[in-house]
Every structure is written in C-alpha cells, then in structure tokens.
Amino acid sequence: MDSPTPPAATRHIRLTSHPGQGTDSAPALRWGAADPHERGPVVGSTGNRSQRNVIGTHSGSYGVYRALAVAAGNLTKGHRADLTNTAPTDAVGPYPVWGDAHKMVSIDPWGASVQTVYADYLERGYDIRPTIAVTKAHIHLPEIKQALAFQRLQVDGKILLEDASATVTKIAVEPVWWLPGVAERFKVSEADLRRALFEETGGMYPELVTRSDLEVFLPPIGGQTLYVFGDVRDLANPNVTLTARVHDECNGSDVFGSDICTCRPYLTHAIEECIRGAQAGGVGLIAYSRKEGRALGEVTKFLVYNARKRQVGGDRADKYFLRTECVAGVQDMRFQELMPDVLHWLGITKIHRLVSMSNDKFDAITGSGIEVGERVKIPDELIPADAKVEIEAKVAAGYFTDGRVPTADDLAQVKGRGLE
Ligand SMILES: [Zn+2]
C-alpha cells in the first residue's frame, strides 16, 4: 500500500505540554463572562496548534476515529469544517445563567452559535467548531403507534402526525469542562481532579498536569442528546407545563429491548408523556446522556449480569447493588452533578412533571436551583418481569415511589430469571 509520507517539516511531534510553546495567537478564555466576546471562543481543533486554548479535542471518544482517519490517509490533517448552512434550526437563549460560572461548568453555552457569535474569528482563519448542534426530526416508535391504537394519544397534525411520527427538535451536546468549576461541583481541589484525570486516562493528556493556564478540557467521553417536543423557547417559560425525563443510555434495553431493566419502557413512557404534555399546550424534553451501564461501560455491565445470575440463590433484589460493587468497585459512576447544566442552558427553571424515579437525578436537579413539581413513576404494567430485581432494589435504596418501600425481607423474595 502506498502510504503518504508527510513533508519532513511536519513529521516531528510538537508537545504543547509547557506554557509558552505556540500559544501566541490562542484567544483568551474568561469562563463565566456573560458576553461571548469577553468569554472568548473555545478552540479545540488540531489544525493550528497555536490557536488552541483547551486540553483535548472535539467529538469525545470519536477523536480517536479521526486520528485513525488521518493515520490511514483518509482525512487531511488540519481539514477545516465548512459550516455553511449548519446553524441551529431553533434559537436557544442566550439566558442570564449562561454567564454563571457556577451553573455552567460542563458545556459551552455558546457552542451552538459559534457560526454567528464568532464569525469574526472564523473569518480571521480560526478553526472554531460548534460543540452543540440543533436540528429537526420526525421520530417513529412502535410504543407511540401502540398508544395511538389504544387511544391513549391522538393525532393532532403538529406534534403527532398522521403516520404516527412525532415531530421533535433534537440537540446534540458535547462536553466542555471548565476544570475549576467541575472541581468545585465535586468538592475536590482542581489539582486533585487534574491529576486523577491524567493518571486514570493512562497519561493521555499531559497538559492536565503541566498547563494550569489551560482551564478548559474537552473530555474523551460521550455527550448528551436532547429531544424537545413543542417549542424549544417554551422550556425557559416556567408558566408553560414542562414534562421532562433525564435518561442515561442503556443500549441493551433502549435499542435492543433487553428485558433485564426498565430503561426502554420508562423512556418510551416518558416520550408518550412528553407528547401528551406538548399537545396540551406544554412542552416536553428527553435529555439522554451517554453514560452506558451507569457509566461503567457495557463490558462491566454484562459481567455484573452474569455475577448476579450465577450467585448462590440466583438474581435477587437484596444483592443487586452488591454485585455491581464487587465487579466495578462502586455501585454507580454516573455522577448526576454535571447533568443539570444542560437544563440551565435551555433556560429551565421549573420542571412540572419529572418522569424519573432516581433520587440522584432529583437531588441534582433541585440542588442546582430548578424547581420540580410532580414526579412520575414508571407504570407497574410496563416493568418487565426480569426487571423487578432492579426496580425493587432501587426503590428500597431511595428511588421515588408512591407505593410501599420494600423491606430487606421483601427484597430477598424478588428473584430474576437464571441464565439460559
Ligand atoms: Zn437498562
């Protein structure tokens, strides 16, 4: 195979792990400044190192695929995105909270509008990428078709169409971490946070420990996707009834219908509630976070399934959290502390109906200053038989319920299917 050999001048690797090396033209970042020009653009593209003002690069873990594409010669190093016609379909904000460095620590509030807000920089040759994209879609779900067939929902021609599709605005959000704010959120020192990030990624980002002048990190993790039913601007109006679910990715259930948990049934129930709410003059929101398997990853998750089902006595609700902790060292790594940022970005101050039973999510949302009205649990008839172990264990551990909280004896009686 003919592998392209770059000119000698570009073949040596330039480290940017020390200040003063090639940062002359990098725009200053003043996180928390309300004015986007005072705040400065986030420059995380790799084409021109002297312009970069962050650690890491765009698109989370997909940056590795970009590296592969460059290595394989499929992508020209330093390719600049042509952003023609990529602007958001719906305007979001700006809201005063965008200038609050304590509430907005894990996303760039100006990430959706760099095409216009930083047009002058783009013209001057800066490669600034949006970290948020806003578009429109129609979504087709069998559960919504079923809701129509059972007349729980009706076609209105606007939110829910004749072909049973729902109209949505969907918004993809990449994480942009302002490290001093993230450290504050987790009540740790910035130095300890930087050191742990450096060491636990196998030393992937030396600037974390050598460049304290770079305060913003684009972490190699998944982001969030928002699905909005109704008018996006209504999310910021506390007088418009907002139905919302904050959902963490569970590919096995969400996409493939695996029945060991309640994820897809709860998600589609929430979508039905969002549609109903939007049709009644409200607005609906699903905030979907890429935190597979409680952010432990799918390999760990499947190991835990085996450990649960093979333990003496079989899969039991009273051992649910214990088995996860044995494999992963913790019960959960989703850390809902950063999740509310995206709700604040949307201007949300009140969620009238929160379709979630998670106490962690509820505490994070209300703790960040967003009012929550009613909490909507998953209807019992939607819980798959094999998922009783999970839901009973969670309710016993503090998940919201309007029913009885199971005792330790009750939990020992709740059993799941064996491996077959
Ligand atoms: Zn699940």
Side-chain angles (χ1 to χ4, degrees):
M1 188 181 125
D2 234 14
S3 74
T5 308
T10 63
R11 287 192 71 191
H12 68 274
I13 294 171
R14 258 169 306 172
L15 292 174
T16 53
S17 51
H18 295 90
Q21 283 184 285
T23 54
D24 301 345
S25 57
L29 275 176
R30 292 176 198 89
W31 203 264
D35 177 82
H37 281 97
E38 203 192 323
R39 206 296 302 271
V42 168
V43 189
S45 50
T46 53
N48 185 340
R49 293 206 154 208
S50 69
Q51 297 175 352
R52 287 169 51 77
N53 57 10
V54 301
I55 302 164
T57 183
H58 291 288
S59 305
S61 55
Y62 298 107
V64 176
Y65 284 106
R66 202 167 50 236
L68 274 180
V70 169
N74 296 342
L75 174 64
T76 311
K77 190 171 167 54
H79 165 77
R80 276 199 63 181
D82 175 359
L83 298 176
T84 307
N85 289 333
T86 61
T89 53
D90 296 72
V92 177
Y95 298 112
V97 70
W98 287 18
D100 185 337
H102 301 284
K103 289 229 165 107
M104 202 63 60
V105 304
S106 65
I107 55 178
D108 175 7
W110 303 101
S113 47
V114 302
Q115 297 97 323
T116 48
V117 169
Y118 297 117
D120 53 334
Y121 278 96
L122 288 166
E123 262 170 46
R124 279 152 52 204
Y126 282 82
D127 187 7
I128 302 166
R129 305 287 172 95
T131 53
I132 302 175
V134 185
T135 188
K136 296 276 196 196
H138 291 193
I139 61 170
H140 294 257
L141 290 164
E143 287 87 347
I144 297 304
K145 266 194 184 131
Q146 201 176 39
L148 277 165
F150 283 94
Q151 299 184 324
R152 296 198 307 268
L153 287 175
Q154 272 81 41
V155 167
D156 67 304
K158 192 167 168 246
I159 307 288
L160 200 48
L161 307 181
E162 205 62 55
D163 66 356
S165 66
T167 60
V168 295
T169 302
K170 58 179 182 180
I171 305 174
V173 184
E174 283 177 11
V176 178
W177 287 6
W178 180 56
L179 292 170
V182 173
E184 181 188 76
R185 199 71 67 84
F186 285 89
K187 300 182 177 67
V188 297
S189 76
E190 188 188 338
D192 287 347
L193 174 67
R194 283 173 176 263
R195 190 189 177 95
L197 286 169
F198 171 68
E199 290 180 344
E200 296 304 319
T201 53
M204 198 170 182
Y205 301 97
E207 297 103 317
L208 284 165
V209 287
T210 60
R211 293 288 305 272
S212 57
D213 58 313
L214 295 178
E215 294 188 330
V216 173
F217 177 41
L218 307 185
I221 58 173
Q224 290 165 298
T225 313
L226 315 172
Y227 284 81
V228 181
F229 302 80
D231 188 339
V232 176
R233 304 290 296 195
D234 282 343
L235 291 165
N237 183 349
N239 298 317
V240 175
T241 301
L242 167 57
T243 304
R245 172 165 176 78
V246 281
H247 185 97
D248 294 326
E249 176 175 32
C250 172
N251 186 267
S253 171
D254 292 346
V255 178
F256 290 96
S258 176
D259 69 349
I260 196 170
C261 56
T262 56
C263 301
R264 181 176 173 106
Y266 210 174
L267 177 62
T268 55
H269 175 66
I271 292 172
E272 183 177 329
E273 292 289 331
C274 284
I275 292 171
R276 191 175 294 113
Q279 287 181 325
V283 59
L285 169 71
I286 305 288
Y288 189 99
S289 295
R290 294 279 152 36
K291 292 182 192 165
E292 178 58 63
R294 296 192 211 149
L296 304 168
E298 219 172 27
V299 169
T300 298
K301 183 173 171 174
F302 292 3
L303 294 174
V304 170
Y305 289 159
N306 283 345
R308 277 170 54 188
K309 289 183 180 289
R310 285 184 179 136
Q311 69 191 320
V312 176
D315 187 16
R316 280 159 43 188
D318 60 339
K319 301 273 194 250
Y320 173 77
F321 288 109
L322 181 70
R323 292 314 307 163
T324 308
E325 201 166 343
C326 287
V327 178
V330 290
Q331 294 181 358
D332 201 312
M333 293 202 303
R334 282 176 290 178
F335 299 110
Q336 300 298 342
E337 283 85 345
L338 301 176
M339 174 268 291
D341 289 23
V342 80
L343 306 177
H344 289 289
W345 178 70
L346 292 163
I348 292 171
T349 55
K350 180 173 182 182
I351 297 173
H352 302 70
R353 305 189 71 227
L354 178 65
V355 189
S356 167
M357 291 158 73
S358 163
N359 46 326
D360 289 339
K361 290 174 186 167
F362 176 83
D363 291 346
I365 292 168
T366 54
S368 78
I370 294 173
E371 190 188 336
V372 171
E374 184 191 354
R375 296 169 77 179
V376 183
K377 69 191 267 280
I378 184 170
D380 290 340
E381 64 272 21
L382 293 183
I383 301 172
D386 201 38
K388 290 270 191 239
V389 169
E390 178 212 89
I391 201 79
E392 292 294 316
K394 285 181 169 177
V395 168
Y399 264 46
F400 170 74
T401 181
D402 52 10
R404 198 171 146 269
V405 177
T407 64
D409 283 346
D410 294 336
L411 290 185
Q413 304 304 315
V414 181
K415 290 193 179 179
R417 206 171 48 224
L419 289 169
E420 66 253 21

